[in-house]
Amino acid sequence: MGETQIIRVRYWAAAKAAAGTAEDVLHVAGPVSLAEVMRRSADLHPDGTLERVLGACSTLIGEAPAGTQPPEELLVEPGATVEFLPPFAGG
């Protein structure tokens, strides 16, 4: 009980550039909301750029798209990987 686990956060394209890294690891004691994952990720890169980019990203939790559900309502379990994918140009 009380043991911390991790949530792996991966950044792609502009999110990776804003973070200055491809990946962060968040230590958690249990499930947290996607909004909390976003806040804690932005706090690791406090210049504000990553926070702005994350707001425009599509998000995968595991392999499932977060969709349009509010981030405050989506729970991320310890051991999960959250991926932030900014909009891509082209097609």
Side-chain angles (χ1 to χ4, degrees), residues 3-71:
E3 182 178 323
T4 61
Q5 299 171 341
I6 66 165
I7 293 172
R8 189 168 311 281
V9 181
R10 292 191 179 139
Y11 308 106
W12 297 96
K16 180 178 175 180
T21 186
E23 185 173 289
D24 282 318
V25 173
L26 304 178
H27 295 271
V28 296
V32 296
S33 69
L34 178 57
E36 179 69 11
V37 170
M38 293 171 75
R39 272 191 295 279
R40 290 181 57 185
S41 297
D43 287 349
L44 293 172
H45 308 279
D47 74 354
T49 305
L50 181 61
E51 183 176 19
R52 286 189 298 278
V53 172
L54 292 182
C57 286
S58 296
T59 307
L60 297 175
I61 301 171
E63 294 185 14
T68 58
Q69 190 171 354

